[in-house]
Amino acid sequence: MLKVGVNGYGTIGKRVADAVCAQPDMELVGVAKTRPNFEAETAVRNGYSLYAALPERVDQFDDAGVPLAGVVDDLVAESDVVVDTTPSGIGAQNRELYERHDTPAIFQGGEDADIADVSFNARANYDEATGAQFVRTVSCNTTGLSRLLAPLDETYGVKKARVTLVRRGGDPGQTGRGPINDILPDPVTLPSHHGPDVQTIFPELNIDTLGLKVPATLMHTHSVNVTLESTPAAEEVRDLLAGESRLFFVPKHAGIDGAGKLKEFAMDAGRPRGDLWENCIWEESIAVQDDDLYLFQAIHQESDVIPENIDAVRAITGSASKEESIALTNESLGVGL
Amino acid sequence: MLKVGVNGYGTIGKRVADAVCAQPDMELVGVAKTRPNFEAETAVRNGYSLYAALPERVDQFDDAGVPLAGVVDDLVAESDVVVDTTPSGIGAQNRELYERHDTPAIFQGGEDADIADVSFNARANYDEATGAQFVRTVSCNTTGLSRLLAPLDETYGVKKARVTLVRRGGDPGQTGRGPINDILPDPVTLPSHHGPDVQTIFPELNIDTLGLKVPATLMHTHSVNVTLESTPAAEEVRDLLAGESRLFFVPKHAGIDGAGKLKEFAMDAGRPRGDLWENCIWEESIAVQDDDLYLFQAIHQESDVIPENIDAVRAITGSASKEESIALTNESLGVGL
Amino acid sequence: MLKVGVNGYGTIGKRVADAVCAQPDMELVGVAKTRPNFEAETAVRNGYSLYAALPERVDQFDDAGVPLAGVVDDLVAESDVVVDTTPSGIGAQNRELYERHDTPAIFQGGEDADIADVSFNARANYDEATGAQFVRTVSCNTTGLSRLLAPLDETYGVKKARVTLVRRGGDPGQTGRGPINDILPDPVTLPSHHGPDVQTIFPELNIDTLGLKVPATLMHTHSVNVTLESTPAAEEVRDLLAGESRLFFVPKHAGIDGAGKLKEFAMDAGRPRGDLWENCIWEESIAVQDDDLYLFQAIHQESDVIPENIDAVRAITGSASKEESIALTNESLGVGL
Amino acid sequence: MLKVGVNGYGTIGKRVADAVCAQPDMELVGVAKTRPNFEAETAVRNGYSLYAALPERVDQFDDAGVPLAGVVDDLVAESDVVVDTTPSGIGAQNRELYERHDTPAIFQGGEDADIADVSFNARANYDEATGAQFVRTVSCNTTGLSRLLAPLDETYGVKKARVTLVRRGGDPGQTGRGPINDILPDPVTLPSHHGPDVQTIFPELNIDTLGLKVPATLMHTHSVNVTLESTPAAEEVRDLLAGESRLFFVPKHAGIDGAGKLKEFAMDAGRPRGDLWENCIWEESIAVQDDDLYLFQAIHQESDVIPENIDAVRAITGSASKEESIALTNESLGVGL
Ligand SMILES: NC(=O)c1ccc[n+]([C@@H]2O[C@H](COP(=O)([O-])OP(=O)(O)OC[C@H]3O[C@@H](n4cnc5c(N)ncnc54)[C@H](O)[C@@H]3O)[C@@H](O)[C@H]2O)c1
Ligand SMILES: NC(=O)c1ccc[n+]([C@@H]2O[C@H](COP(=O)([O-])OP(=O)(O)OC[C@H]3O[C@@H](n4cnc5c(N)ncnc54)[C@H](O)[C@@H]3O)[C@@H](O)[C@H]2O)c1
Ligand SMILES: NC(=O)c1ccc[n+]([C@@H]2O[C@H](COP(=O)([O-])OP(=O)(O)OC[C@H]3O[C@@H](n4cnc5c(N)ncnc54)[C@H](O)[C@@H]3O)[C@@H](O)[C@H]2O)c1
Ligand SMILES: NC(=O)c1ccc[n+]([C@@H]2O[C@H](COP(=O)([O-])OP(=O)(O)OC[C@H]3O[C@@H](n4cnc5c(N)ncnc54)[C@H](O)[C@@H]3O)[C@@H](O)[C@H]2O)c1
């Protein structure tokens, strides 16, 4: 059994913790939190051992009547691997902590690429993580693009990818985030940093990205163009992508016009928190014009990186091969709609 | 075992169907649907027998490969009680169908009050439904107000209630609904029809309501004023309301500032679809100034009527007393956070 | 001619500057700004003398090629009155500057009431400002409430006012403000601070307020209840309010359902920036039930305080009577739709 | 003097009417409306002669006390040219009316291309409209793309254009339009119909478009990629585009991050209704990677077609050359910020 600690228990951290518990080969040591808010309460409810991320705040937990199993140092000490799911930039500060304990750690996409030896996507470069001390699971957008581009590049060759990322302004609970009524070029300079982030996974890939931010909270949507080296028919591309376990096709005639109905579908299907771990590609949108492939995909920012973090735990410890890990993660979570 | 049919499988219908299945004393005969869309697929997935609501569309289901157990007439014939969860106005058209089969039916709040002998809220007037042919579960807003006003009126006497309903523009999947960036008096004439709807439950109650519509999808929010006959301290009111099983207090210091975090909390707690069957009252908001009580409550429009529909099934059939039914519904669904 | 300086050139400041220029008895000395952004450019375009609010940033203006007439100290020195329209809290820091120059100053509603001798609304307490060193024009919401409550209290007596303020999340250009998809009780504790702010104008008034924040940018909307000492018919109230120059009735059958169409109407009418200086009361909404008056009004947060600031300039300097000033301001701006 | 009638007085029609009045060589005969709503009132205020678009509704105008100059037939009879600004599809029904009077007419982009002999953009194909009976001013999006692509194609040659149109869900007053919280692929099939619409102006152009709809009301935003035949530096492209009179560069460092601040800028500059007749291109966004040009532009859907409609009046009547007309329209409206 791999003993896994989760440092930072927010949007990503709570999902990673639940996912760890669902694995037959993993055991959750516990989770570290900074404050005894409502999320702390659900951690306790779920029976997760809670560790104070900031030792000086132990009192706050005591005052709130939230029992602690220790401080974050204890959590790291007891873990074989730590998944760090603290906010962007905090991971970098925590690196020294993991180094001190000589504990391998997995960071998130909010950290700079150079925090880790390897930027990771299970489909694209699983093996590169083996034996690393530090691995960075790439961001939700980069994860979504990597899963899509890997099979396209392998099968047809990618001459150039150009992707417009229409991003949600904030997660559903982030009430301080805007915009309320605007469409913001973000960043306004082009191409955006998302392309280079994809290149941490595919160093040779020719990709330019453009980012925008809009008043929506549920999912990001990618407007994708890929100029291919060859010119398959749209059906061939559809068949190729249909074979990928972490790509879900929004069926024609299902009446699913956006993220609202996609999430409804996920909730109807019994998914925890209505999570959509898969890229959601509108089947009808897949089109090929000469050598240009086009499609729309929606990316659930809160959850698409979860299976990748689980695979990263196995990759970094060398405890399973790529195929074994992906299959096991998919099976235990219920990936595939 | 009560055999229950659900006619109309949308936002409310699918939740009623799931809730029926969770009851020890009920059995779901099946659900009637008009179209084989993504919700039909999840009905099949859940093992629910599907009936064509419109016999002339049987072919559409066949074409889509969605198996049917029959048409809506069959569903009604096999059911002891039908819960009609079709869109506003369609229920009225279906009444004749239930009359023909002499099957008791429960309508929803979108129908006019005169569709049924009794407008129903479990906490307030359970017994009035016993033996009725037709019962109408009141709307989400009226349900939320009834649960709150019943104990207040019983304990302190309500001199006058004045409530501003800040309503969500549409449910999360209703992408055709606005407004995008506005605050709409709706209806613009005052007082609004919501007050008289509450009076279908409390005929003697003095209540004026004002309605607005805003660009949000998650929950309604009620800005409540109740002038009381007596002048309890805020803590007494808090204690009184804390004793009600379908009122949930948003705890102080939990950091829950609105519907987004409330739904997050519900999802973290493992609630199906993140449903909040309870009124969500901000504990900190409860205040008494002279004889005026004030508070804020959020109402999850998609789910607060679900326990009421289940209770209505027992009430209409006389199969359990009010206390038994409420306790059983709460227990089987997991009401109470 | 009254020489008026405007310190802070943002949403409120630029409107005050334009309004000062429209007065026959006032002269704009200039405006002070902190940064040479796009608003600085339009100030220059309009021929307004620009002063550096922060002397240490003079270079930034030079670099941007934006000509300066001096620093804020010069502006104050040359002005008979300064209207301080800096962000909340900055006004308090600027007080010492005005004291040093012995220049009367008018602050905005974002400052605490105790910044000034008098909180001001032209309709309600014009004369109290005469001869004061410092006056505070109350906030957009308090201004809107004062204009409405003054005639009601004078004519019928106000037993108690209860108002729910459904507030816009941010101004149209404030893209960093949320929420995107939520309805937030704000503040969550009741009653809100807006009531006491109204009491800075009407110390004896019995008023409780409740505040919410929603994802809209155009206007606030007030859901108003006033329990009156007497019981006029709705038409009488309508006639009373129709006689007030800064209350505009949204006409029945005009098809104006919210702030979007109201602003469209203002823009069609040629209003600068589509400003609505008047409270916009839906005529159809005015209703009386027993002694309870109800109505909806929309308040244009960016502009309803502009005529009040102009009147405050005359009041503080004693240069005109209340009636003269209100008439002159209305006439020169074009108040009244 | 060209006598111009405007049939349909909504978002586009009222702007066309105002723009006609601003031209030295045109005279507004009047405007035809279907209902006496608030827009009718402002037409009367502006001194525009009003004609009943639907003769059977003359009574409604009488009842509302709105004076009529006649019915739409009279308007057409008295006009040299009619600009038809009725809702999509109504223009097609009106064609016969204009044929009957043998009056040239200009339709809007909501009509199918085959309604007219020529689809029109002043910059791209002014001369093709000369002498035509019917001309269609292309849609706001196609207008925006045509203005941008014309100089690029002339100077560098366009190998292929790929554009993602992130479209506003509705205009500010269209409160019935959604979505509230979603990002909708629209249309979901690719490429979208917007590309072929651009080809009505540039028949040889290789262009693929993708459309989305988001919860914003102010402007559309285009994420533009143009693969060029040659490889200019970004500065060269900037200089080329800077020479175009209907392209506005959002200046660097102006702090304008989206449509909200753009509209604020337009209102500060005194533009009627805050209209932005020009494409608004973020200067900082212009980038060239190999032969791929990228940029962001915001398009004010309510107003960018106005100068084009004015030019179309001169083009269809042959009353001025392309250069004369564009210069005169720009000068009289104040195009160029
Ligand atoms: N939310 C998303 O959409 C998303 C998607 C993919 C990747 N990410 C990345 O995942 C990481 C986490 O993001 P998130 O959205 O889960 O953030 P979050 O704010 O929801 O959660 C972060 C948690 O870490 C806690 N925390 C703060 N400081 C800490 C510290 N010093 N030690 C331990 N815990 C601390 C916070 O209390 C919070 O519970 C970031 O790198 C982010 O960029 C986020
Ligand atoms: N959604 C809410 O917020 C909410 C809350 C409380 C009460 N209600 C009330 O519940 C009722 C249902 O609302 P909903 O939101 O679930 O609507 P919905 O549109 O989500 O679902 C209605 C379902 O009925 C089906 N249907 C349509 N015509 C039918 C017919 N002739 N026979 C059988 N089925 C038919 C539709 O296909 C759909 O699946 C309405 O009266 C509504 O006012 C809704
Ligand atoms: N915007 C509204 O809705 C609204 C309505 C009524 C009252 N108010 C009040 O008016 C005041 C101004 O608000 P606003 O919305 O115009 O703010 P704003 O941010 O739009 O404008 C403030 C301006 O002051 C400038 N500034 C910042 N620091 C300064 C300093 N030290 N000296 C001089 N200028 C400085 C800023 O650069 C900016 O241009 C606040 O008290 C606010 O509460 C605002
Ligand atoms: N609004 C935009 O963003 C936009 C942008 C570019 C082009 N367009 C196109 O311009 C045209 C008009 O659009 P709009 O947005 O101005 O519409 P609108 O609805 O704002 O205005 C249309 C007007 O026509 C009137 N009308 C309806 N039926 C009529 C009839 N039979 N005869 C005369 N008048 C009638 C309506 O009362 C209304 O006043 C459409 O083709 C649209 O596609 C609109």
Side-chain angles (χ1 to χ4, degrees):
Chain A
M1 292 292 265
L2 288 167
K3 301 174 88 171
V4 183
V6 174
N7 189 10
Y9 190 74
T11 302
I12 301 298
K14 63 190 166 193
R15 287 170 165 87
V16 170
D18 293 355
V20 164
C21 291
Q23 305 307 311
D25 57 340
M26 298 185 193
E27 187 183 307
L28 182 71
V29 180
V31 302
K33 268 203 68 56
T34 46
R35 288 178 306 140
N37 71 349
F38 75 90
E39 287 169 325
E41 201 187 313
T42 44
V44 172
R45 245 174 227 235
N46 289 345
Y48 298 165
S49 300
L50 215 61
Y51 295 78
L54 306 174
E56 65 273 24
R57 296 218 195 143
V58 164
D59 287 359
Q60 286 190 19
F61 286 81
D62 291 351
D63 291 354
V66 177
L68 287 176
V71 296
V72 66
D73 231 84
D74 304 322
L75 175 68
V76 179
E78 292 166 44
S79 302
D80 297 330
V81 182
V82 173
V83 185
D84 183 298
T85 52
T86 58
S88 310
I90 306 289
Q93 297 172 22
N94 289 340
R95 214 181 109 124
E96 181 273 338
L97 167 70
Y98 310 128
E99 274 169 343
R100 190 153 30 90
H101 286 273
D102 199 21
T103 304
I106 295 159
F107 296 98
Q108 304 305 310
E111 303 301 323
D112 288 340
D114 61 15
I115 197 177
D117 318 295
V118 183
S119 283
F120 178 82
N121 172 264
R123 173 65 179 78
N125 70 345
Y126 184 97
D127 293 328
E128 292 178 27
T130 310
Q133 161 90 39
F134 295 127
V135 163
R136 183 182 73 121
T137 304
V138 288
S139 78
C140 46
N141 281 310
T142 304
T143 296
L145 288 172
S146 299
R147 288 176 182 168
L148 176 68
L149 292 170
L152 292 175
D153 198 29
E154 288 164 15
T155 310
Y156 309 116
V158 169
K159 206 182 289 173
K160 181 145 195 180
R162 302 173 193 85
V163 184
T164 297
L165 308 165
V166 184
R167 286 151 48 225
R168 62 85 179 103
D171 293 339
Q174 290 181 313
T175 50
R177 293 240 199 154
I180 291 175
N181 183 39
D182 217 324
I183 302 171
L184 305 177
D186 179 42
V188 72
T189 50
L190 293 178
S192 75
H193 56 269
H194 303 93
D197 201 48
V198 173
Q199 288 162 337
T200 64
I201 301 292
F202 306 92
E204 307 298 321
L205 194 83
N206 193 356
I207 179 167
D208 291 330
T209 53
L210 307 91
L212 297 133
K213 220 165 66 178
V214 302
T217 64
L218 301 176
M219 300 177 84
H220 301 300
T221 302
H222 294 174
S223 170
V224 177
N225 162 243
V226 185
T227 307
L228 300 169
E229 300 281 356
S230 55
T231 59
E235 297 77 59
E236 289 177 62
V237 177
R238 228 169 284 159
D239 290 349
L240 174 74
L241 300 181
E244 294 287 319
S245 67
R246 291 181 186 169
L247 302 183
F248 164 66
F249 278 180
V250 182
K252 284 193 210 189
H253 314 304
I256 296 179
D257 62 352
K261 293 209 187 76
L262 263 175
K263 292 275 297 171
E264 180 102 7
F265 179 61
M267 287 191 287
D268 286 358
R271 287 285 179 93
R273 300 184 175 87
D275 280 350
L276 285 157
W277 301 297
E278 307 86 353
N279 292 23
C280 300
I281 299 174
W282 272 272
E283 188 178 352
E284 284 167 282
S285 74
I286 301 171
V288 179
Q289 301 282 105
D290 302 325
D291 54 357
D292 274 320
L293 167 69
Y294 297 100
L295 60 81
F296 285 123
Q297 65 178 1
I299 297 295
H300 188 216
Q301 76 275 2
E302 302 175 294
S303 72
D304 78 326
V305 299
I306 305 309
E308 310 299 326
N309 273 290
I310 296 301
D311 291 328
V313 169
R314 293 201 193 90
I316 204 170
T317 57
S319 73
S321 73
K322 169 180 170 177
E323 287 69 27
E324 285 166 359
S325 179
I326 291 181
L328 190 52
T329 303
N330 289 354
E331 166 74 22
S332 57
L333 292 182
V335 171
L337 274 162
Chain B
M1 291 295 263
L2 288 167
K3 301 173 89 171
V4 183
V6 175
N7 189 11
Y9 191 74
T11 302
I12 301 298
K14 63 190 167 193
R15 285 171 167 86
V16 170
D18 293 355
V20 164
C21 290
Q23 304 308 311
D25 56 341
M26 299 185 194
E27 188 183 304
L28 181 72
V29 180
V31 302
K33 268 203 68 56
T34 46
R35 287 178 307 141
N37 70 349
F38 74 90
E39 288 169 325
E41 200 186 315
T42 44
V44 171
R45 242 175 231 235
N46 289 345
Y48 298 165
S49 299
L50 215 61
Y51 294 79
L54 305 174
E56 65 273 23
R57 298 218 195 144
V58 165
D59 288 359
Q60 287 189 19
F61 287 81
D62 292 352
D63 292 354
V66 176
L68 286 175
V71 296
V72 66
D73 230 84
D74 304 323
L75 174 69
V76 179
E78 291 166 45
S79 301
D80 297 330
V81 183
V82 173
V83 185
D84 182 297
T85 51
T86 58
S88 309
I90 306 288
Q93 297 171 22
N94 289 341
R95 215 182 108 125
E96 182 272 336
L97 168 70
Y98 310 130
E99 276 170 344
R100 190 152 30 89
H101 285 274
D102 200 21
T103 302
I106 294 160
F107 297 98
Q108 303 306 309
E111 303 302 322
D112 288 339
D114 62 14
I115 198 177
D117 317 296
V118 183
S119 283
F120 179 83
N121 172 261
R123 173 64 180 78
N125 71 346
Y126 183 97
D127 293 329
E128 291 178 29
T130 311
Q133 161 91 40
F134 295 127
V135 163
R136 183 184 73 122
T137 304
V138 289
S139 77
C140 47
N141 281 311
T142 304
T143 296
L145 289 172
S146 299
R147 288 176 182 168
L148 176 68
L149 292 169
L152 292 175
D153 199 29
E154 289 164 13
T155 309
Y156 309 116
V158 169
K159 207 181 288 171
K160 182 145 193 180
R162 302 173 193 84
V163 184
T164 296
L165 308 165
V166 185
R167 286 150 49 225
R168 60 84 180 105
D171 294 337
Q174 291 180 312
T175 49
R177 294 241 200 154
I180 291 175
N181 183 37
D182 217 324
I183 302 170
L184 305 177
D186 179 43
V188 73
T189 50
L190 293 179
S192 76
H193 56 268
H194 304 93
D197 202 48
V198 173
Q199 288 163 337
T200 65
I201 302 290
F202 306 91
E204 307 299 320
L205 194 83
N206 194 357
I207 179 168
D208 291 329
T209 53
L210 306 93
L212 296 133
K213 221 164 66 178
V214 301
T217 64
L218 300 176
M219 300 177 83
H220 302 300
T221 302
H222 294 175
S223 170
V224 177
N225 163 243
V226 186
T227 307
L228 299 169
E229 299 282 356
S230 55
T231 57
E235 297 76 59
E236 289 177 62
V237 177
R238 230 169 282 160
D239 289 349
L240 174 72
L241 300 181
E244 295 287 319
S245 68
R246 292 181 187 168
L247 302 183
F248 164 66
F249 278 0
V250 183
K252 285 193 211 187
H253 313 304
I256 296 180
D257 61 353
K261 293 209 187 75
L262 264 175
K263 294 275 299 171
E264 180 103 6
F265 178 61
M267 287 191 287
D268 285 358
R271 286 285 178 91
R273 300 183 175 89
D275 280 349
L276 285 156
W277 302 297
E278 306 87 355
N279 293 22
C280 300
I281 299 175
W282 272 271
E283 188 178 353
E284 284 168 282
S285 73
I286 301 171
V288 179
Q289 303 283 104
D290 303 326
D291 55 355
D292 273 319
L293 168 68
Y294 297 99
L295 60 80
F296 286 123
Q297 65 177 1
I299 298 295
H300 188 218
Q301 75 275 3
E302 302 174 293
S303 72
D304 78 326
V305 299
I306 304 308
E308 310 298 327
N309 272 290
I310 296 300
D311 290 328
V313 169
R314 294 202 193 88
I316 205 170
T317 56
S319 73
S321 73
K322 171 180 167 176
E323 287 69 27
E324 286 165 358
S325 179
I326 291 181
L328 190 51
T329 303
N330 289 355
E331 166 75 21
S332 56
L333 291 182
V335 171
L337 274 160
Chain C
M1 292 294 263
L2 288 166
K3 301 175 88 171
V4 183
V6 175
N7 189 10
Y9 191 74
T11 302
I12 301 300
K14 62 188 167 194
R15 287 171 166 85
V16 170
D18 293 356
V20 164
C21 291
Q23 306 307 311
D25 57 341
M26 297 185 193
E27 189 183 303
L28 181 71
V29 179
V31 302
K33 268 204 69 56
T34 45
R35 287 177 307 141
N37 72 348
F38 74 90
E39 289 170 324
E41 200 187 315
T42 45
V44 171
R45 243 175 229 236
N46 289 344
Y48 298 165
S49 299
L50 215 62
Y51 295 79
L54 306 174
E56 65 274 23
R57 296 218 196 144
V58 165
D59 288 359
Q60 286 190 20
F61 286 80
D62 291 351
D63 292 353
V66 177
L68 286 175
V71 296
V72 67
D73 230 83
D74 305 321
L75 175 69
V76 179
E78 292 166 44
S79 301
D80 298 331
V81 184
V82 172
V83 186
D84 182 297
T85 51
T86 57
S88 309
I90 305 289
Q93 297 173 22
N94 289 341
R95 213 180 108 124
E96 182 272 335
L97 167 70
Y98 310 129
E99 275 171 344
R100 190 152 30 90
H101 286 272
D102 199 22
T103 302
I106 295 159
F107 296 99
Q108 304 306 310
E111 303 301 322
D112 287 341
D114 62 13
I115 197 178
D117 319 296
V118 183
S119 282
F120 179 82
N121 172 261
R123 173 65 179 78
N125 70 344
Y126 185 96
D127 294 328
E128 292 178 28
T130 310
Q133 161 90 40
F134 295 127
V135 163
R136 183 183 72 121
T137 304
V138 289
S139 77
C140 47
N141 281 311
T142 304
T143 295
L145 289 172
S146 298
R147 288 176 181 169
L148 177 69
L149 292 169
L152 292 174
D153 199 27
E154 289 163 14
T155 308
Y156 309 117
V158 169
K159 207 182 287 172
K160 180 146 196 179
R162 302 173 192 85
V163 184
T164 297
L165 308 165
V166 185
R167 286 151 48 225
R168 61 85 180 103
D171 294 337
Q174 290 181 313
T175 49
R177 293 239 199 155
I180 291 174
N181 183 39
D182 216 324
I183 301 170
L184 305 177
D186 177 45
V188 73
T189 50
L190 292 179
S192 75
H193 56 270
H194 303 93
D197 201 47
V198 173
Q199 288 163 337
T200 64
I201 302 290
F202 306 92
E204 307 299 320
L205 194 85
N206 194 356
I207 179 166
D208 290 330
T209 53
L210 307 92
L212 297 134
K213 221 164 65 177
V214 302
T217 64
L218 299 177
M219 301 177 83
H220 301 300
T221 301
H222 295 175
S223 170
V224 177
N225 163 244
V226 186
T227 307
L228 300 169
E229 299 282 356
S230 55
T231 58
E235 297 79 55
E236 290 177 61
V237 177
R238 230 170 281 160
D239 290 348
L240 174 74
L241 300 181
E244 295 286 319
S245 67
R246 292 182 185 166
L247 302 183
F248 163 65
F249 278 0
V250 183
K252 284 193 210 187
H253 313 306
I256 296 180
D257 61 352
K261 292 209 187 74
L262 264 174
K263 294 274 300 170
E264 179 103 7
F265 179 60
M267 287 192 286
D268 285 359
R271 286 288 178 90
R273 299 184 175 88
D275 280 350
L276 286 156
W277 302 297
E278 304 88 354
N279 293 22
C280 300
I281 299 175
W282 271 270
E283 190 178 350
E284 284 168 281
S285 74
I286 300 171
V288 179
Q289 302 282 105
D290 302 325
D291 55 356
D292 273 320
L293 168 69
Y294 297 99
L295 61 79
F296 285 123
Q297 66 177 1
I299 297 295
H300 187 217
Q301 75 276 0
E302 301 174 293
S303 72
D304 79 326
V305 299
I306 304 308
E308 311 298 326
N309 273 290
I310 295 299
D311 290 330
V313 169
R314 293 201 192 90
I316 204 169
T317 57
S319 73
S321 73
K322 169 180 169 179
E323 287 69 27
E324 285 166 358
S325 179
I326 291 183
L328 190 53
T329 303
N330 288 355
E331 166 74 21
S332 56
L333 291 182
V335 171
L337 274 162
Chain D
M1 292 293 264
L2 287 168
K3 301 174 88 172
V4 183
V6 174
N7 190 10
Y9 191 75
T11 302
I12 301 299
K14 63 189 168 192
R15 286 171 166 86
V16 170
D18 292 356
V20 164
C21 290
Q23 304 307 311
D25 56 342
M26 297 185 194
E27 189 183 304
L28 182 71
V29 179
V31 302
K33 267 203 69 56
T34 45
R35 286 177 309 140
N37 71 349
F38 75 91
E39 287 170 326
E41 201 187 315
T42 45
V44 171
R45 242 174 230 237
N46 289 344
Y48 298 166
S49 299
L50 215 62
Y51 295 79
L54 304 175
E56 65 274 23
R57 296 216 196 146
V58 165
D59 287 359
Q60 287 190 18
F61 287 81
D62 291 351
D63 292 354
V66 177
L68 286 175
V71 296
V72 65
D73 230 83
D74 304 323
L75 175 69
V76 179
E78 292 166 44
S79 301
D80 297 331
V81 183
V82 173
V83 185
D84 183 297
T85 51
T86 58
S88 310
I90 305 290
Q93 297 172 22
N94 288 341
R95 213 180 107 126
E96 182 273 336
L97 168 70
Y98 310 129
E99 274 170 343
R100 191 152 30 88
H101 286 273
D102 199 20
T103 302
I106 295 160
F107 295 98
Q108 304 306 309
E111 304 301 322
D112 287 341
D114 62 14
I115 197 178
D117 318 296
V118 182
S119 284
F120 179 83
N121 171 262
R123 172 67 179 75
N125 70 345
Y126 184 97
D127 294 328
E128 291 178 28
T130 310
Q133 161 87 41
F134 295 128
V135 163
R136 184 182 73 122
T137 305
V138 289
S139 76
C140 47
N141 281 311
T142 304
T143 295
L145 289 173
S146 298
R147 289 175 181 169
L148 176 68
L149 293 170
L152 292 175
D153 199 28
E154 288 164 15
T155 310
Y156 309 116
V158 169
K159 207 182 287 172
K160 180 145 197 180
R162 303 173 192 86
V163 184
T164 296
L165 309 165
V166 185
R167 285 151 48 226
R168 61 85 180 105
D171 293 337
Q174 291 181 313
T175 49
R177 295 239 201 153
I180 291 174
N181 184 37
D182 216 324
I183 302 170
L184 306 177
D186 177 43
V188 72
T189 50
L190 293 179
S192 76
H193 56 269
H194 303 92
D197 201 47
V198 173
Q199 288 163 338
T200 64
I201 302 290
F202 306 91
E204 307 299 321
L205 194 86
N206 193 357
I207 179 168
D208 290 330
T209 54
L210 306 92
L212 297 133
K213 220 165 66 178
V214 302
T217 65
L218 300 176
M219 301 177 84
H220 302 299
T221 303
H222 294 175
S223 170
V224 177
N225 163 244
V226 185
T227 308
L228 300 168
E229 299 282 356
S230 55
T231 58
E235 297 77 56
E236 289 177 62
V237 177
R238 228 170 282 161
D239 290 348
L240 174 74
L241 300 181
E244 294 287 318
S245 67
R246 293 183 184 166
L247 303 183
F248 165 66
F249 278 180
V250 183
K252 284 194 210 187
H253 313 307
I256 296 179
D257 61 353
K261 292 209 187 74
L262 263 174
K263 294 274 299 171
E264 180 103 6
F265 179 61
M267 287 192 286
D268 285 359
R271 286 285 178 92
R273 300 185 174 87
D275 281 349
L276 286 156
W277 301 298
E278 306 86 354
N279 294 21
C280 301
I281 300 175
W282 271 271
E283 189 178 352
E284 285 169 281
S285 73
I286 301 171
V288 180
Q289 302 281 107
D290 302 326
D291 54 357
D292 273 319
L293 167 69
Y294 297 98
L295 60 81
F296 285 123
Q297 67 177 2
I299 297 295
H300 187 218
Q301 75 277 2
E302 302 175 292
S303 73
D304 77 326
V305 298
I306 305 308
E308 311 298 327
N309 273 288
I310 295 299
D311 290 329
V313 169
R314 293 201 192 90
I316 204 171
T317 56
S319 74
S321 73
K322 169 180 169 177
E323 287 69 25
E324 285 165 358
S325 180
I326 291 182
L328 190 52
T329 303
N330 288 355
E331 166 74 21
S332 55
L333 291 181
V335 171
L337 275 161

